[in-house]
Amino acid sequence: MGTVGKLPANAEAVLHGVIDSLEEEWAVVVLDDGQRLDWPRERLPVGTRSGVAVVLNLETVELSTADVRGVWPGVIGLQVQPDRIQVRLGDQCLHWPAAPFKTLAVGEAVAVRMTVDEGDTARRRKHVQSLIDDLFA
Amino acid sequence: MRVVMFDIGQGDSLLVISPNRQTMLIDGGNSAQDGQNVILPYLQANGFDRLNVMVLTHPDADHVGGLPEVLRNLPVDYVVSTGQVHTTQIYAEFLQEVKAARDRYGTQVIRGVAGAEIPFDDAVKVEVLGPDPAAVNGDDLNNTSVVLRLTYGEVSVLFTGDAEQVEENWMMTNKKPLSAQILKVSHHGSKTGSSDAFLKAVGAQVGLISCGADNRYGHPHAEVLERLARHQVKVYRTDKLGTIEVEIDGYSWQITGER
C-alpha cells in the first residue's frame, strides 16, 4: 500500500472553490476560476456539505487505496495550454497552473486532494450576506 | 404568450414573452457562454433591448451561471431573487451585477417568496407560489426555489425551479391553486421532485424538462418519467429537442422543438 506525497507547497498550486450542490452520487464543485467538476460523493472529505468552501491540491502519488476520503487519483493529460496542465479525473479534466508542476509528465499518476476550508466559507458567507443586506434593505 | 426553454445543457433557462411583448427571464443556465451565445442572441433576434423581469429561482450554478452576463449587457427593470446566502463566486458576481444594474438603470429588487408581487404585462396573471418565506434562511437551496404560476387567458404555466418534495408539500398545504396545463418539471426531472401528489394537484398535460444529454446524474430519472406518463403528462425534453418553444393563444398551445 502506497502513500500520497505532497508536492512543494505553493500558493499557485491550489484551486479554490465551493461545493455548489449535491446531485445523486456527485458533489458539484464550482471553482473560482470558472471550472466545474463533479466529485464522487464517497470521496468527499468529512464535513463537506453544500455551500462549503474547499481547496484542491495536486499531489504526487503512490496512492493508498485506503486513503480515499478527500482524495481522487488521476493522471496528467496532454498539455494544451503553455501555462496550464491538464489533470484527468475519470472522464473529466481540470486545468491547473503549470508553473509549480514543471517536472510532471503526461500520463504520470497524481491525486487531487480536497480539503474543507471553514475560514474561507465564513468569509464568503459574510461577503454574500453584505451584498444581500444592501440589495434587500 | 410564448415560453422558450433554452437548450443550455444540464441547467435551466426559460424566457417568457407576454402578449404585449414584455419579457421575463427565469434563470440563466450554466455559464457566461449561455448568456453570450444563447440568451442574449435570442433576445436580440426578437427585437428586445431590455428585460422587464429577471428571476433567479435559487443560487445553484446551473441556474445563475449566465445571469451576470445578461445583466452586464441589458437593462433590467426588476430582479426577483430569494436573497438566499450561497458562497460560490458566480452567485456573488450575480449579486454584484444586480447592485451595478440598480445604480446604472434603477433596477428594482424583489424578494421572491410566496405571495410576492411581480409587475408584468396586465394580460398575464403572475403568482408567486413558493418558497415558504420561513425556509429561505436554511441551507436547502432547491427547496427555496421561486415557484411561479403564469396564466394567460385559460392557460397556466407552472415554473418550479429545482423544488423538491419538501417545497411541493409546503405549496400543497398552502392551499393556493397549483393547477396548470403546462409544467416546467422541477430539478431536471430528478426523483427528488414531481411526487404523485404534486402531479395530481397540478394536473398538467405537458411537461417541459431541461437536461443535458447523457448527464451523469441520470436526469430525468426513469421513475419520474413513469410518474409523468401515469398522470398523462406529455414530455418535451431539451436533450432530445434542443430549444423548445410553446406558443399560447390564451385557449390552446403549440409546441415546437428546434430539432
PDB file of all heavy atoms in Angstrom, chain A residues 18 20 23-24 26 28 36 38 51 91-92 124 127-129 132 134 136, chain B residues 30 61 83-88 96 99 102 111 187 190 216-217 219 221:
ATOM      1  N   VAL A  18     -16.129  25.975  -4.261  1.00  0.00           N
ATOM      2  CA  VAL A  18     -17.237  25.747  -3.324  1.00  0.00           C
ATOM      3  C   VAL A  18     -18.012  24.510  -3.772  1.00  0.00           C
ATOM      4  O   VAL A  18     -18.139  24.260  -4.970  1.00  0.00           O
ATOM      5  CB  VAL A  18     -18.171  26.987  -3.311  1.00  0.00           C
ATOM      6  CG1 VAL A  18     -19.528  26.666  -2.686  1.00  0.00           C
ATOM      7  CG2 VAL A  18     -17.519  28.165  -2.593  1.00  0.00           C
ATOM      8  N   ASP A  20     -21.159  23.383  -4.723  1.00  0.00           N
ATOM      9  CA  ASP A  20     -22.363  24.110  -5.145  1.00  0.00           C
ATOM     10  C   ASP A  20     -23.618  23.343  -4.776  1.00  0.00           C
ATOM     11  O   ASP A  20     -24.595  23.918  -4.299  1.00  0.00           O
ATOM     12  CB  ASP A  20     -22.296  24.332  -6.662  1.00  0.00           C
ATOM     13  CG  ASP A  20     -23.475  25.119  -7.189  1.00  0.00           C
ATOM     14  OD1 ASP A  20     -23.699  26.245  -6.697  1.00  0.00           O
ATOM     15  OD2 ASP A  20     -24.182  24.614  -8.079  1.00  0.00           O
ATOM     16  N   GLU A  23     -25.682  16.249  -6.159  1.00  0.00           N
ATOM     17  CA  GLU A  23     -26.594  15.699  -7.168  1.00  0.00           C
ATOM     18  C   GLU A  23     -26.328  14.203  -7.285  1.00  0.00           C
ATOM     19  O   GLU A  23     -25.274  13.791  -7.771  1.00  0.00           O
ATOM     20  CB  GLU A  23     -26.349  16.352  -8.539  1.00  0.00           C
ATOM     21  CG  GLU A  23     -26.540  17.859  -8.575  1.00  0.00           C
ATOM     22  CD  GLU A  23     -28.001  18.281  -8.604  1.00  0.00           C
ATOM     23  OE1 GLU A  23     -28.886  17.407  -8.705  1.00  0.00           O
ATOM     24  OE2 GLU A  23     -28.248  19.498  -8.497  1.00  0.00           O
ATOM     25  N   GLU A  24     -27.285  13.437  -6.824  1.00  0.00           N
ATOM     26  CA  GLU A  24     -27.176  11.979  -6.870  1.00  0.00           C
ATOM     27  C   GLU A  24     -25.867  11.533  -6.232  1.00  0.00           C
ATOM     28  O   GLU A  24     -25.620  11.865  -5.104  1.00  0.00           O
ATOM     29  CB  GLU A  24     -27.309  11.480  -8.319  1.00  0.00           C
ATOM     30  CG  GLU A  24     -28.512  12.052  -9.057  1.00  0.00           C
ATOM     31  CD  GLU A  24     -29.834  11.898  -8.322  1.00  0.00           C
ATOM     32  OE1 GLU A  24     -30.007  10.905  -7.604  1.00  0.00           O
ATOM     33  OE2 GLU A  24     -30.691  12.780  -8.436  1.00  0.00           O
ATOM     34  N   TRP A  26     -22.896  12.562  -6.830  1.00  0.00           N
ATOM     35  CA  TRP A  26     -21.843  13.522  -7.109  1.00  0.00           C
ATOM     36  C   TRP A  26     -22.013  14.806  -6.299  1.00  0.00           C
ATOM     37  O   TRP A  26     -23.130  15.214  -6.008  1.00  0.00           O
ATOM     38  CB  TRP A  26     -21.844  13.893  -8.603  1.00  0.00           C
ATOM     39  CG  TRP A  26     -21.675  12.722  -9.496  1.00  0.00           C
ATOM     40  CD1 TRP A  26     -22.670  11.943 -10.034  1.00  0.00           C
ATOM     41  CD2 TRP A  26     -20.436  12.169  -9.957  1.00  0.00           C
ATOM     42  NE1 TRP A  26     -22.127  10.941 -10.798  1.00  0.00           N
ATOM     43  CE2 TRP A  26     -20.761  11.055 -10.775  1.00  0.00           C
ATOM     44  CE3 TRP A  26     -19.102  12.500  -9.766  1.00  0.00           C
ATOM     45  CZ2 TRP A  26     -19.783  10.286 -11.395  1.00  0.00           C
ATOM     46  CZ3 TRP A  26     -18.133  11.729 -10.375  1.00  0.00           C
ATOM     47  CH2 TRP A  26     -18.470  10.636 -11.179  1.00  0.00           C
ATOM     48  N   VAL A  28     -21.218  18.730  -6.881  1.00  0.00           N
ATOM     49  CA  VAL A  28     -20.861  19.674  -7.941  1.00  0.00           C
ATOM     50  C   VAL A  28     -19.935  20.735  -7.340  1.00  0.00           C
ATOM     51  O   VAL A  28     -20.340  21.494  -6.458  1.00  0.00           O
ATOM     52  CB  VAL A  28     -22.117  20.339  -8.541  1.00  0.00           C
ATOM     53  CG1 VAL A  28     -21.728  21.330  -9.634  1.00  0.00           C
ATOM     54  CG2 VAL A  28     -23.088  19.287  -9.077  1.00  0.00           C
ATOM     55  N   ARG A  36     -15.717  23.644 -13.523  1.00  0.00           N
ATOM     56  CA  ARG A  36     -16.665  22.815 -12.765  1.00  0.00           C
ATOM     57  C   ARG A  36     -16.141  21.384 -12.724  1.00  0.00           C
ATOM     58  O   ARG A  36     -15.517  20.922 -13.676  1.00  0.00           O
ATOM     59  CB  ARG A  36     -18.031  22.768 -13.451  1.00  0.00           C
ATOM     60  CG  ARG A  36     -18.667  24.103 -13.708  1.00  0.00           C
ATOM     61  CD  ARG A  36     -19.571  24.530 -12.570  1.00  0.00           C
ATOM     62  NE  ARG A  36     -20.074  25.871 -12.852  1.00  0.00           N
ATOM     63  CZ  ARG A  36     -21.232  26.124 -13.441  1.00  0.00           C
ATOM     64  NH1 ARG A  36     -22.019  25.135 -13.770  1.00  0.00           N
ATOM     65  NH2 ARG A  36     -21.611  27.359 -13.671  1.00  0.00           N
ATOM     66  N   ASP A  38     -17.470  17.403 -11.160  1.00  0.00           N
ATOM     67  CA  ASP A  38     -18.340  16.537 -10.371  1.00  0.00           C
ATOM     68  C   ASP A  38     -17.454  15.580  -9.595  1.00  0.00           C
ATOM     69  O   ASP A  38     -16.738  14.756 -10.186  1.00  0.00           O
ATOM     70  CB  ASP A  38     -19.291  15.754 -11.285  1.00  0.00           C
ATOM     71  CG  ASP A  38     -20.351  16.652 -11.903  1.00  0.00           C
ATOM     72  OD1 ASP A  38     -20.725  17.652 -11.263  1.00  0.00           O
ATOM     73  OD2 ASP A  38     -20.798  16.357 -13.021  1.00  0.00           O
ATOM     74  N   GLY A  51     -22.357  24.396  -0.100  1.00  0.00           N
ATOM     75  CA  GLY A  51     -22.017  25.755   0.325  1.00  0.00           C
ATOM     76  C   GLY A  51     -20.679  25.883   1.016  1.00  0.00           C
ATOM     77  O   GLY A  51     -20.236  26.992   1.310  1.00  0.00           O
ATOM     78  N   ASP A  91     -13.648  10.622 -16.487  1.00  0.00           N
ATOM     79  CA  ASP A  91     -13.900  11.189 -17.813  1.00  0.00           C
ATOM     80  C   ASP A  91     -13.941  12.717 -17.795  1.00  0.00           C
ATOM     81  O   ASP A  91     -14.390  13.341 -18.751  1.00  0.00           O
ATOM     82  CB  ASP A  91     -15.210  10.631 -18.393  1.00  0.00           C
ATOM     83  CG  ASP A  91     -16.435  11.024 -17.574  1.00  0.00           C
ATOM     84  OD1 ASP A  91     -16.264  11.606 -16.480  1.00  0.00           O
ATOM     85  OD2 ASP A  91     -17.559  10.738 -18.018  1.00  0.00           O
ATOM     86  N   GLN A  92     -13.473  13.307 -16.694  1.00  0.00           N
ATOM     87  CA  GLN A  92     -13.447  14.770 -16.593  1.00  0.00           C
ATOM     88  C   GLN A  92     -11.996  15.245 -16.552  1.00  0.00           C
ATOM     89  O   GLN A  92     -11.081  14.450 -16.353  1.00  0.00           O
ATOM     90  CB  GLN A  92     -14.147  15.230 -15.311  1.00  0.00           C
ATOM     91  CG  GLN A  92     -15.581  14.735 -15.185  1.00  0.00           C
ATOM     92  CD  GLN A  92     -16.167  15.098 -13.831  1.00  0.00           C
ATOM     93  OE1 GLN A  92     -16.481  16.237 -13.552  1.00  0.00           O
ATOM     94  NE2 GLN A  92     -16.284  14.099 -12.974  1.00  0.00           N
ATOM     95  N   ARG A 124     -16.706  33.968   2.847  1.00  0.00           N
ATOM     96  CA  ARG A 124     -17.603  34.087   1.680  1.00  0.00           C
ATOM     97  C   ARG A 124     -19.041  34.382   2.124  1.00  0.00           C
ATOM     98  O   ARG A 124     -19.736  35.181   1.509  1.00  0.00           O
ATOM     99  CB  ARG A 124     -17.566  32.789   0.860  1.00  0.00           C
ATOM    100  CG  ARG A 124     -16.281  32.572   0.090  1.00  0.00           C
ATOM    101  CD  ARG A 124     -16.247  31.151  -0.455  1.00  0.00           C
ATOM    102  NE  ARG A 124     -14.979  30.817  -1.067  1.00  0.00           N
ATOM    103  CZ  ARG A 124     -14.749  30.776  -2.375  1.00  0.00           C
ATOM    104  NH1 ARG A 124     -15.715  31.048  -3.217  1.00  0.00           N
ATOM    105  NH2 ARG A 124     -13.578  30.455  -2.847  1.00  0.00           N
ATOM    106  N   HIS A 127     -19.354  37.968   3.017  1.00  0.00           N
ATOM    107  CA  HIS A 127     -19.332  38.831   1.821  1.00  0.00           C
ATOM    108  C   HIS A 127     -20.691  38.812   1.124  1.00  0.00           C
ATOM    109  O   HIS A 127     -21.254  39.864   0.789  1.00  0.00           O
ATOM    110  CB  HIS A 127     -18.225  38.344   0.878  1.00  0.00           C
ATOM    111  CG  HIS A 127     -18.196  39.045  -0.447  1.00  0.00           C
ATOM    112  ND1 HIS A 127     -18.081  40.413  -0.562  1.00  0.00           N
ATOM    113  CD2 HIS A 127     -18.294  38.566  -1.711  1.00  0.00           C
ATOM    114  CE1 HIS A 127     -18.104  40.748  -1.842  1.00  0.00           C
ATOM    115  NE2 HIS A 127     -18.235  39.651  -2.557  1.00  0.00           N
ATOM    116  N   VAL A 128     -21.233  37.612   0.906  1.00  0.00           N
ATOM    117  CA  VAL A 128     -22.525  37.492   0.210  1.00  0.00           C
ATOM    118  C   VAL A 128     -23.643  38.100   1.058  1.00  0.00           C
ATOM    119  O   VAL A 128     -24.524  38.788   0.542  1.00  0.00           O
ATOM    120  CB  VAL A 128     -22.807  36.015  -0.141  1.00  0.00           C
ATOM    121  CG1 VAL A 128     -24.255  35.815  -0.566  1.00  0.00           C
ATOM    122  CG2 VAL A 128     -21.877  35.563  -1.258  1.00  0.00           C
ATOM    123  N   GLN A 129     -23.586  37.871   2.368  1.00  0.00           N
ATOM    124  CA  GLN A 129     -24.626  38.442   3.239  1.00  0.00           C
ATOM    125  C   GLN A 129     -24.622  39.966   3.163  1.00  0.00           C
ATOM    126  O   GLN A 129     -25.698  40.591   3.166  1.00  0.00           O
ATOM    127  CB  GLN A 129     -24.398  37.986   4.691  1.00  0.00           C
ATOM    128  CG  GLN A 129     -25.527  38.369   5.640  1.00  0.00           C
ATOM    129  CD  GLN A 129     -26.831  37.657   5.311  1.00  0.00           C
ATOM    130  OE1 GLN A 129     -26.907  36.440   5.369  1.00  0.00           O
ATOM    131  NE2 GLN A 129     -27.876  38.416   4.942  1.00  0.00           N
ATOM    132  N   ILE A 132     -26.379  40.942  -0.011  1.00  0.00           N
ATOM    133  CA  ILE A 132     -27.829  40.723   0.121  1.00  0.00           C
ATOM    134  C   ILE A 132     -28.455  41.800   1.011  1.00  0.00           C
ATOM    135  O   ILE A 132     -29.510  42.356   0.687  1.00  0.00           O
ATOM    136  CB  ILE A 132     -28.097  39.303   0.676  1.00  0.00           C
ATOM    137  CG1 ILE A 132     -27.770  38.265  -0.410  1.00  0.00           C
ATOM    138  CG2 ILE A 132     -29.542  39.154   1.148  1.00  0.00           C
ATOM    139  CD1 ILE A 132     -27.694  36.851   0.086  1.00  0.00           C
ATOM    140  N   ASP A 134     -27.498  44.759   1.438  1.00  0.00           N
ATOM    141  CA  ASP A 134     -27.542  46.002   0.665  1.00  0.00           C
ATOM    142  C   ASP A 134     -28.703  45.974  -0.336  1.00  0.00           C
ATOM    143  O   ASP A 134     -29.495  46.912  -0.421  1.00  0.00           O
ATOM    144  CB  ASP A 134     -26.195  46.189  -0.054  1.00  0.00           C
ATOM    145  CG  ASP A 134     -26.162  47.473  -0.876  1.00  0.00           C
ATOM    146  OD1 ASP A 134     -27.088  48.284  -0.734  1.00  0.00           O
ATOM    147  OD2 ASP A 134     -25.221  47.657  -1.663  1.00  0.00           O
ATOM    148  N   PHE A 136     -31.441  44.052  -0.445  1.00  0.00           N
ATOM    149  CA  PHE A 136     -32.798  43.846   0.056  1.00  0.00           C
ATOM    150  C   PHE A 136     -33.128  44.775   1.219  1.00  0.00           C
ATOM    151  O   PHE A 136     -34.108  44.555   1.919  1.00  0.00           O
ATOM    152  CB  PHE A 136     -32.989  42.390   0.470  1.00  0.00           C
ATOM    153  CG  PHE A 136     -33.038  41.432  -0.691  1.00  0.00           C
ATOM    154  CD1 PHE A 136     -31.871  40.847  -1.164  1.00  0.00           C
ATOM    155  CD2 PHE A 136     -34.230  41.145  -1.336  1.00  0.00           C
ATOM    156  CE1 PHE A 136     -31.888  39.978  -2.242  1.00  0.00           C
ATOM    157  CE2 PHE A 136     -34.266  40.272  -2.414  1.00  0.00           C
ATOM    158  CZ  PHE A 136     -33.097  39.691  -2.871  1.00  0.00           C
TER     159      PHE A 136
ATOM    160  N   ASN B  30     -25.902  27.760 -17.226  1.00  0.00           N
ATOM    161  CA  ASN B  30     -24.697  27.348 -16.511  1.00  0.00           C
ATOM    162  C   ASN B  30     -23.584  28.376 -16.416  1.00  0.00           C
ATOM    163  O   ASN B  30     -22.838  28.397 -15.465  1.00  0.00           O
ATOM    164  CB  ASN B  30     -24.105  26.131 -17.227  1.00  0.00           C
ATOM    165  CG  ASN B  30     -24.763  24.855 -16.811  1.00  0.00           C
ATOM    166  OD1 ASN B  30     -24.585  24.436 -15.678  1.00  0.00           O
ATOM    167  ND2 ASN B  30     -25.532  24.263 -17.696  1.00  0.00           N
ATOM    168  N   ALA B  61     -25.373  26.948  -9.407  1.00  0.00           N
ATOM    169  CA  ALA B  61     -24.606  27.471 -10.544  1.00  0.00           C
ATOM    170  C   ALA B  61     -25.268  27.187 -11.890  1.00  0.00           C
ATOM    171  O   ALA B  61     -25.113  27.966 -12.834  1.00  0.00           O
ATOM    172  CB  ALA B  61     -23.195  26.885 -10.523  1.00  0.00           C
ATOM    173  N   GLY B  83     -32.879  36.022  -2.034  1.00  0.00           N
ATOM    174  CA  GLY B  83     -31.931  36.586  -1.087  1.00  0.00           C
ATOM    175  C   GLY B  83     -31.276  35.518  -0.232  1.00  0.00           C
ATOM    176  O   GLY B  83     -30.730  35.790   0.836  1.00  0.00           O
ATOM    177  N   GLN B  84     -31.295  34.289  -0.730  1.00  0.00           N
ATOM    178  CA  GLN B  84     -30.648  33.173  -0.042  1.00  0.00           C
ATOM    179  C   GLN B  84     -29.128  33.368  -0.051  1.00  0.00           C
ATOM    180  O   GLN B  84     -28.579  33.872  -1.028  1.00  0.00           O
ATOM    181  CB  GLN B  84     -31.027  31.882  -0.787  1.00  0.00           C
ATOM    182  CG  GLN B  84     -30.432  30.621  -0.281  1.00  0.00           C
ATOM    183  CD  GLN B  84     -31.102  30.158   0.994  1.00  0.00           C
ATOM    184  OE1 GLN B  84     -30.969  30.782   2.034  1.00  0.00           O
ATOM    185  NE2 GLN B  84     -31.817  29.056   0.930  1.00  0.00           N
ATOM    186  N   VAL B  85     -28.456  32.960   1.008  1.00  0.00           N
ATOM    187  CA  VAL B  85     -26.993  33.023   1.036  1.00  0.00           C
ATOM    188  C   VAL B  85     -26.426  31.767   0.384  1.00  0.00           C
ATOM    189  O   VAL B  85     -26.864  30.654   0.675  1.00  0.00           O
ATOM    190  CB  VAL B  85     -26.470  33.143   2.487  1.00  0.00           C
ATOM    191  CG1 VAL B  85     -24.954  33.024   2.528  1.00  0.00           C
ATOM    192  CG2 VAL B  85     -26.904  34.469   3.094  1.00  0.00           C
ATOM    193  N   HIS B  86     -25.463  31.960  -0.516  1.00  0.00           N
ATOM    194  CA  HIS B  86     -24.708  30.840  -1.087  1.00  0.00           C
ATOM    195  C   HIS B  86     -23.322  31.384  -1.411  1.00  0.00           C
ATOM    196  O   HIS B  86     -23.175  32.577  -1.680  1.00  0.00           O
ATOM    197  CB  HIS B  86     -25.408  30.310  -2.341  1.00  0.00           C
ATOM    198  CG  HIS B  86     -24.859  28.995  -2.820  1.00  0.00           C
ATOM    199  ND1 HIS B  86     -24.536  27.963  -1.977  1.00  0.00           N
ATOM    200  CD2 HIS B  86     -24.580  28.549  -4.078  1.00  0.00           C
ATOM    201  CE1 HIS B  86     -24.086  26.943  -2.688  1.00  0.00           C
ATOM    202  NE2 HIS B  86     -24.096  27.266  -3.964  1.00  0.00           N
ATOM    203  N   THR B  87     -22.323  30.525  -1.390  1.00  0.00           N
ATOM    204  CA  THR B  87     -20.948  31.010  -1.298  1.00  0.00           C
ATOM    205  C   THR B  87     -20.144  30.945  -2.596  1.00  0.00           C
ATOM    206  O   THR B  87     -18.957  31.257  -2.585  1.00  0.00           O
ATOM    207  CB  THR B  87     -20.199  30.183  -0.219  1.00  0.00           C
ATOM    208  OG1 THR B  87     -20.489  28.802  -0.438  1.00  0.00           O
ATOM    209  CG2 THR B  87     -20.636  30.587   1.161  1.00  0.00           C
ATOM    210  N   THR B  88     -20.772  30.550  -3.714  1.00  0.00           N
ATOM    211  CA  THR B  88     -19.985  30.454  -4.951  1.00  0.00           C
ATOM    212  C   THR B  88     -19.631  31.842  -5.475  1.00  0.00           C
ATOM    213  O   THR B  88     -20.353  32.815  -5.284  1.00  0.00           O
ATOM    214  CB  THR B  88     -20.768  29.713  -6.054  1.00  0.00           C
ATOM    215  OG1 THR B  88     -22.022  30.346  -6.236  1.00  0.00           O
ATOM    216  CG2 THR B  88     -20.971  28.253  -5.708  1.00  0.00           C
ATOM    217  N   GLN B  96     -23.381  41.224  -7.301  1.00  0.00           N
ATOM    218  CA  GLN B  96     -22.652  42.464  -7.612  1.00  0.00           C
ATOM    219  C   GLN B  96     -23.203  43.117  -8.875  1.00  0.00           C
ATOM    220  O   GLN B  96     -23.311  44.347  -8.956  1.00  0.00           O
ATOM    221  CB  GLN B  96     -21.153  42.171  -7.755  1.00  0.00           C
ATOM    222  CG  GLN B  96     -20.465  42.062  -6.402  1.00  0.00           C
ATOM    223  CD  GLN B  96     -19.144  41.301  -6.447  1.00  0.00           C
ATOM    224  OE1 GLN B  96     -18.854  40.591  -7.400  1.00  0.00           O
ATOM    225  NE2 GLN B  96     -18.366  41.422  -5.385  1.00  0.00           N
ATOM    226  N   LYS B  99     -26.438  44.821  -8.160  1.00  0.00           N
ATOM    227  CA  LYS B  99     -26.141  46.103  -7.492  1.00  0.00           C
ATOM    228  C   LYS B  99     -25.726  47.154  -8.531  1.00  0.00           C
ATOM    229  O   LYS B  99     -26.192  48.299  -8.492  1.00  0.00           O
ATOM    230  CB  LYS B  99     -25.007  45.856  -6.489  1.00  0.00           C
ATOM    231  CG  LYS B  99     -24.878  46.879  -5.410  1.00  0.00           C
ATOM    232  CD  LYS B  99     -23.843  46.410  -4.395  1.00  0.00           C
ATOM    233  CE  LYS B  99     -23.368  47.589  -3.569  1.00  0.00           C
ATOM    234  NZ  LYS B  99     -22.301  47.233  -2.657  1.00  0.00           N
ATOM    235  N   ARG B 102     -28.723  48.237 -10.475  1.00  0.00           N
ATOM    236  CA  ARG B 102     -29.543  49.153  -9.663  1.00  0.00           C
ATOM    237  C   ARG B 102     -28.982  50.567  -9.758  1.00  0.00           C
ATOM    238  O   ARG B 102     -29.731  51.534  -9.944  1.00  0.00           O
ATOM    239  CB  ARG B 102     -29.538  48.679  -8.200  1.00  0.00           C
ATOM    240  CG  ARG B 102     -30.395  49.512  -7.276  1.00  0.00           C
ATOM    241  CD  ARG B 102     -30.150  49.151  -5.829  1.00  0.00           C
ATOM    242  NE  ARG B 102     -28.766  49.423  -5.432  1.00  0.00           N
ATOM    243  CZ  ARG B 102     -28.245  49.145  -4.241  1.00  0.00           C
ATOM    244  NH1 ARG B 102     -28.994  48.535  -3.341  1.00  0.00           N
ATOM    245  NH2 ARG B 102     -26.992  49.431  -3.952  1.00  0.00           N
ATOM    246  N   ARG B 111     -37.973  40.536  -3.343  1.00  0.00           N
ATOM    247  CA  ARG B 111     -37.707  39.262  -2.664  1.00  0.00           C
ATOM    248  C   ARG B 111     -38.735  38.231  -3.135  1.00  0.00           C
ATOM    249  O   ARG B 111     -39.948  38.401  -2.919  1.00  0.00           O
ATOM    250  CB  ARG B 111     -37.775  39.422  -1.146  1.00  0.00           C
ATOM    251  CG  ARG B 111     -37.257  38.200  -0.403  1.00  0.00           C
ATOM    252  CD  ARG B 111     -37.324  38.365   1.096  1.00  0.00           C
ATOM    253  NE  ARG B 111     -36.369  39.315   1.639  1.00  0.00           N
ATOM    254  CZ  ARG B 111     -35.103  39.042   1.944  1.00  0.00           C
ATOM    255  NH1 ARG B 111     -34.637  37.838   1.740  1.00  0.00           N
ATOM    256  NH2 ARG B 111     -34.310  39.965   2.447  1.00  0.00           N
ATOM    257  N   HIS B 187     -36.248  20.410 -11.195  1.00  0.00           N
ATOM    258  CA  HIS B 187     -34.939  19.785 -10.953  1.00  0.00           C
ATOM    259  C   HIS B 187     -34.554  18.809 -12.071  1.00  0.00           C
ATOM    260  O   HIS B 187     -34.078  17.715 -11.810  1.00  0.00           O
ATOM    261  CB  HIS B 187     -34.951  19.077  -9.594  1.00  0.00           C
ATOM    262  CG  HIS B 187     -33.578  18.838  -9.045  1.00  0.00           C
ATOM    263  ND1 HIS B 187     -33.375  18.131  -7.886  1.00  0.00           N
ATOM    264  CD2 HIS B 187     -32.350  19.180  -9.503  1.00  0.00           C
ATOM    265  CE1 HIS B 187     -32.080  18.049  -7.646  1.00  0.00           C
ATOM    266  NE2 HIS B 187     -31.423  18.679  -8.619  1.00  0.00           N
ATOM    267  N   SER B 190     -35.423  15.187 -11.729  1.00  0.00           N
ATOM    268  CA  SER B 190     -34.860  14.370 -10.643  1.00  0.00           C
ATOM    269  C   SER B 190     -35.977  13.708  -9.852  1.00  0.00           C
ATOM    270  O   SER B 190     -37.059  14.283  -9.665  1.00  0.00           O
ATOM    271  CB  SER B 190     -34.020  15.251  -9.717  1.00  0.00           C
ATOM    272  OG  SER B 190     -33.704  14.548  -8.534  1.00  0.00           O
ATOM    273  N   ARG B 216     -24.424  12.901 -16.105  1.00  0.00           N
ATOM    274  CA  ARG B 216     -24.021  11.818 -15.208  1.00  0.00           C
ATOM    275  C   ARG B 216     -24.934  11.694 -13.985  1.00  0.00           C
ATOM    276  O   ARG B 216     -24.774  10.770 -13.186  1.00  0.00           O
ATOM    277  CB  ARG B 216     -22.547  11.947 -14.780  1.00  0.00           C
ATOM    278  CG  ARG B 216     -22.177  13.181 -14.043  1.00  0.00           C
ATOM    279  CD  ARG B 216     -20.729  13.086 -13.524  1.00  0.00           C
ATOM    280  NE  ARG B 216     -19.772  12.873 -14.579  1.00  0.00           N
ATOM    281  CZ  ARG B 216     -19.257  13.842 -15.340  1.00  0.00           C
ATOM    282  NH1 ARG B 216     -19.607  15.086 -15.159  1.00  0.00           N
ATOM    283  NH2 ARG B 216     -18.390  13.567 -16.273  1.00  0.00           N
ATOM    284  N   TYR B 217     -25.899  12.588 -13.836  1.00  0.00           N
ATOM    285  CA  TYR B 217     -26.844  12.468 -12.715  1.00  0.00           C
ATOM    286  C   TYR B 217     -28.035  11.588 -13.070  1.00  0.00           C
ATOM    287  O   TYR B 217     -28.881  11.314 -12.228  1.00  0.00           O
ATOM    288  CB  TYR B 217     -27.359  13.850 -12.292  1.00  0.00           C
ATOM    289  CG  TYR B 217     -26.293  14.911 -12.246  1.00  0.00           C
ATOM    290  CD1 TYR B 217     -26.416  16.088 -12.975  1.00  0.00           C
ATOM    291  CD2 TYR B 217     -25.141  14.732 -11.482  1.00  0.00           C
ATOM    292  CE1 TYR B 217     -25.431  17.062 -12.945  1.00  0.00           C
ATOM    293  CE2 TYR B 217     -24.149  15.694 -11.446  1.00  0.00           C
ATOM    294  CZ  TYR B 217     -24.303  16.856 -12.189  1.00  0.00           C
ATOM    295  OH  TYR B 217     -23.326  17.809 -12.152  1.00  0.00           O
ATOM    296  N   HIS B 219     -30.510  12.430 -15.000  1.00  0.00           N
ATOM    297  CA  HIS B 219     -31.743  13.214 -15.197  1.00  0.00           C
ATOM    298  C   HIS B 219     -32.200  13.153 -16.658  1.00  0.00           C
ATOM    299  O   HIS B 219     -31.375  13.238 -17.537  1.00  0.00           O
ATOM    300  CB  HIS B 219     -31.502  14.690 -14.832  1.00  0.00           C
ATOM    301  CG  HIS B 219     -31.199  14.922 -13.387  1.00  0.00           C
ATOM    302  ND1 HIS B 219     -30.584  16.063 -12.922  1.00  0.00           N
ATOM    303  CD2 HIS B 219     -31.434  14.148 -12.289  1.00  0.00           C
ATOM    304  CE1 HIS B 219     -30.448  16.004 -11.613  1.00  0.00           C
ATOM    305  NE2 HIS B 219     -30.939  14.848 -11.203  1.00  0.00           N
ATOM    306  N   HIS B 221     -34.949  11.133 -14.272  1.00  0.00           N
ATOM    307  CA  HIS B 221     -34.990   9.764 -13.758  1.00  0.00           C
ATOM    308  C   HIS B 221     -36.154   8.983 -14.356  1.00  0.00           C
ATOM    309  O   HIS B 221     -37.243   9.530 -14.564  1.00  0.00           O
ATOM    310  CB  HIS B 221     -35.111   9.781 -12.234  1.00  0.00           C
ATOM    311  CG  HIS B 221     -33.828  10.171 -11.566  1.00  0.00           C
ATOM    312  ND1 HIS B 221     -33.763  11.086 -10.546  1.00  0.00           N
ATOM    313  CD2 HIS B 221     -32.546   9.783 -11.798  1.00  0.00           C
ATOM    314  CE1 HIS B 221     -32.506  11.236 -10.166  1.00  0.00           C
ATOM    315  NE2 HIS B 221     -31.751  10.459 -10.913  1.00  0.00           N
TER     316      HIS B 221
END
